[in-house]
């Protein structure tokens, strides 16, 4: 069964497995102790730190191991904000950061601080000039991911880091998705990452803090990991994480070329074989293994279940799941379609035949889901004169409001409007996105007794 969700968690690398088993025998003792077993454990920990620091591009004494990438983000943001509290309490971040960064920002605001979200372009990338505009005299910290977790767009980290350095603001980079492919360029100040993203074991994160960055660890003080990650080190997992990071880096250059070609094929074939689809993210400045596309008139959760039934493990940033009524914050910030969203992220070693089979299966699966939902065909209906219409989609989840709009748009004359009444938050994003894809005019949103009224004018 092809596993195409390495952006969530990569399969354990064979080198990680070997290192983990060896370290279970050799690295069980307390590395802080001076007896033989403790010294042996300390040697393993030091070697792992040196290997990880070399991959990150920092000094070994600038890097600590945490219990997860999320913990690294929370500790990094809290420590940097506290260390620079005399400067101010303002935080700058992009609108498409990982949820761990957004949660830290919300906690900071709840504690009396403030933050500014820098908008992104439709590709998912920030404009460095716009990011610089968000920096203020009281900005204590800036955050920018190296590459987006949902759509794979690479951010202009080096340019933003230079602008932050000019303004005297440290930049924290979430490098979880990109570190396995190479070091992060630029004059960043703090960096975080997570081992399970590159094929290491879960439960190991990295936090690098450059010398000279004011940093005050929060919470009860600990004696280990420079006081920045309290608790006994999970030494076997740390050793496996560092060994696998070195191993994947050795393979990265060749695999990046091969996987970029496979992802390029997915991008072009999906756009050609599946009607009413939008491939999102930057087509060039992107991670080599990740592609995301959104299909009109498709329930994302159903689509994922059907692909799983055909043997393909993929993920989605769609709002159309049983767990939430909110669209993906990344797709929302980009202004792209959120319904029917599929993220494919290929692990190293993915077979070309598996990608070909996925591309053979996908069009039929999408067509089947659309038919089940009663979606209209790809061809626009023939014009027919009629008065402007109101579509009541209250109480109905995405993509139903968009499907109902598509069904009736041909029943009004060119220049007339269709008003969609909907209380699903996703409609606020998906109806304008549908208008752009179908070349109709989105007039705007109006208040309604329940939900909102979305007004669309027929142009053709």
């Amino acid at each position: 069964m092809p596993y195409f969700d390495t952006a969530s968690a990569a399969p354990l690398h064979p080198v990680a497995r070997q290192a983990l088993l060896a370290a279970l025998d050799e690295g069980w003792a307390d590395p802080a102790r001076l007896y033989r077993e403790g010294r042996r454990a300390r040697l393993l920990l030091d070697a792992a730190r040196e290997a990880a620091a070399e991959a990150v591009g920092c000094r070994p004494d600038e890097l600590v191991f945490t219990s997860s990438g999320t913990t690294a983000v929370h500790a990094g943001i809290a420590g940097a904000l506290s260390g620079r509290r005399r400067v101010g309490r303002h935080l700058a971040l992009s609108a498409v950061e990982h949820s761990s960064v957004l949660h830290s920002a919300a906690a900071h605001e709840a504690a009396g601080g403030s933050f500014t979200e820098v908008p992104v372009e439709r590709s998912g990338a920030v404009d460095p000039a716009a990011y610089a505009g968000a920096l203020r005299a009281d900005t204590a910290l800036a955050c920018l991911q190296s590459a987006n977790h949902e759509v794979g767009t690479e951010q202009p980290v080096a340019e933003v880091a230079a602008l932050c350095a000019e303004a005297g603001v440290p930049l924290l980079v979430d490098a979880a998705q990109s570190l396995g492919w190479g070091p992060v360029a630029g004059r960043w100040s703090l960096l975080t990452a997570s081992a399970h993203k590159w094929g290491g074991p879960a439960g190991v994160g990295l936090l690098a803090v450059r010398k000279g960055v004011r940093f005050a660890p929060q919470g009860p003080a600990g004696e280990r990991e420079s006081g920045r990650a309290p608790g006994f080190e999970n030494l076997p997992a740390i050793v496996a994480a560092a060994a696998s990071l070195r191993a994947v880096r050795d393979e990265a250059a060749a695999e990046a070329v091969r996987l970029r070609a496979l992802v390029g094929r997915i991008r072009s074939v999906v756009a050609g074989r599946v009607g009413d689809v939008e491939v999102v993210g930057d087509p060039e400045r992107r991670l080599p293994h990740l592609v995301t596309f959104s299909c009109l008139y498709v329930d994302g959760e159903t689509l994922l279940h059907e692909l799983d039934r055909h043997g393909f493990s993929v993920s989605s940033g769609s709002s159309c799941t049983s767990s939430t009524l909110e669209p993906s914050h990344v797709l929302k910030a980009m202004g792209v379609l959120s319904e029917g969203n599929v993220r494919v992220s290929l692990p190293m070693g993915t077979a070309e035949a598996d990608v070909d089979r996925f591309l053979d299966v996908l069009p039929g699966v999408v067509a089947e889901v659309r038919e089940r939902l009663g979606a209209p065909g790809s061809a626009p209906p023939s014009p027919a004169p009629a008065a402007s219409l109101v579509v009541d989609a209250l109480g109905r989840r995405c993509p139903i409001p968009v499907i109902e709009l598509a069904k009736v748009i041909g029943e009004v004359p060119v220049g007339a409007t269709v008003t969609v009444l909907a209380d699903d938050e996703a409609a606020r994003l998906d109806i304008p996105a549908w208008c752009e894809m179908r070349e109709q005019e989105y007039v705007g949103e109006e208040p309604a007794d329940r939900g909102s009224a979305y007004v669309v004018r027929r142009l053709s």
Side-chain angles (χ1 to χ4, degrees):
M1 179 173 177
Y3 176 77
F4 288 171
D5 192 24
T6 191
S8 293
L12 194 66
H13 194 282
V15 168
R17 185 182 301 277
Q18 294 167 7
L20 181 64
L21 293 175
L24 286 171
D25 291 331
E26 297 295 325
W28 51 267
D30 186 346
R33 301 306 173 196
L34 299 179
Y35 41 70
R36 181 178 60 251
E37 294 85 357
R39 294 196 304 273
R40 186 185 302 136
R42 169 57 65 180
L43 287 173
L44 289 173
L45 181 58
D46 289 346
R49 197 184 312 279
E50 288 176 9
E54 181 182 5
V56 168
C58 67
R59 292 168 36 161
D61 60 351
E62 294 174 329
L63 183 142
V64 299
F65 296 103
T66 68
S67 59
S68 69
T70 293
T71 301
V73 167
H74 291 170
I77 292 177
L81 287 172
S82 179
R84 285 173 49 82
R85 59 188 177 277
R86 291 185 179 179
V87 173
R89 304 198 64 192
H90 177 250
L91 172 67
L93 62 151
S94 84
V96 293
E97 294 299 311
H98 187 267
S99 58
S100 60
V101 176
L102 300 184
H103 293 157
S104 286
H108 176 60
E109 184 179 50
S114 64
F115 68 90
T116 299
E117 284 190 4
V118 181
V120 296
E121 300 167 347
R122 195 171 177 84
S123 67
V126 298
D127 177 359
Y131 202 103
L135 303 178
R136 310 184 328 205
D138 64 337
T139 301
L141 179 66
C143 299
L144 181 64
Q145 60 195 192
S146 55
N148 186 259
H149 295 254
E150 286 191 34
V151 301
T153 295
E154 293 180 335
Q155 298 290 355
V157 172
E159 295 94 319
V160 171
L163 293 168
C164 287
E166 243 180 77
V169 176
L171 176 68
L172 181 147
V173 177
D174 165 23
Q177 285 296 340
S178 72
L179 192 61
W181 298 104
V184 177
R187 297 162 58 191
W188 51 265
S189 303
L190 304 94
L191 181 142
T192 63
S194 186
H196 74 278
K197 301 291 188 181
W198 67 67
V204 179
L206 305 181
L207 170 61
V209 182
R210 297 280 198 197
K211 292 294 182 183
V213 175
R214 291 187 177 275
F215 192 89
Q218 298 302 286
E223 295 79 23
R224 299 173 186 273
E225 296 300 299
S226 305
R228 294 173 183 172
F232 196 92
E233 296 95 344
N234 185 352
L235 186 53
I238 287 171
V239 169
S244 58
L245 180 54
R246 176 177 285 178
V248 297
R249 280 288 189 84
D250 290 342
E251 305 164 5
E255 273 297 280
V257 172
R258 197 179 70 84
L259 293 182
R260 188 173 289 276
L262 290 178
V263 165
R265 184 187 305 178
I266 295 173
R267 293 178 68 92
S268 61
V269 171
V270 166
R273 292 186 190 173
V274 182
D276 295 319
V277 67
E278 182 177 15
V279 182
V280 301
D282 196 295
E284 300 298 331
R285 291 192 60 168
R286 57 177 172 83
L287 292 171
H289 69 302
L290 195 156
V291 57
T292 299
F293 52 89
S294 298
C295 306
L296 268 176
Y297 318 133
V298 168
D299 171 6
E301 186 178 25
T302 301
L303 181 56
L304 263 59
H305 283 317
E306 289 302 308
L307 288 170
D308 180 60
R309 194 168 62 83
H310 284 80
F312 295 97
S313 301
V314 299
S315 66
S316 173
S318 173
S319 64
C320 306
T321 68
S322 58
S323 61
T324 178
L325 294 175
E326 294 290 325
S328 153
H329 73 278
V330 171
L331 302 178
K332 185 176 182 179
M334 293 168 62
V336 298
L337 186 69
S338 73
E339 65 186 64
N341 179 262
V342 175
R343 181 185 69 182
V344 176
S345 48
L346 307 178
M348 290 185 173
T350 295
E352 188 175 335
D354 287 339
V355 172
D356 288 339
R357 190 163 70 84
F358 173 77
L359 292 173
D360 289 340
V361 165
L362 179 68
V365 170
V366 173
E368 180 184 330
V369 174
R370 284 174 173 167
E371 184 178 1
R372 195 183 306 168
L373 290 171
S378 295
S382 56
S388 297
L389 294 176
V390 175
V391 174
D392 186 352
L394 292 168
R396 308 185 74 183
R397 298 284 304 279
C398 69
I400 300 301
V402 179
I403 289 176
E404 295 303 316
L405 168 61
K407 283 180 178 178
V408 303
I409 191 70
E411 297 177 12
V412 299
V414 172
T417 61
V418 173
T419 300
V420 182
L421 302 177
D423 51 9
D424 182 359
E425 179 67 22
R428 183 168 287 114
L429 177 62
D430 289 346
I431 289 175
W434 179 89
C435 290
E436 181 164 333
M437 294 175 70
R438 305 298 288 182
E439 298 182 342
Q440 307 297 340
E441 180 187 353
Y442 178 63
V443 177
E445 177 182 350
E446 299 175 354
D449 291 339
R450 281 181 56 205
S452 297
Y454 302 94
V455 182
V456 176
R457 178 173 287 110
R458 183 182 175 193
L459 298 183
S460 61

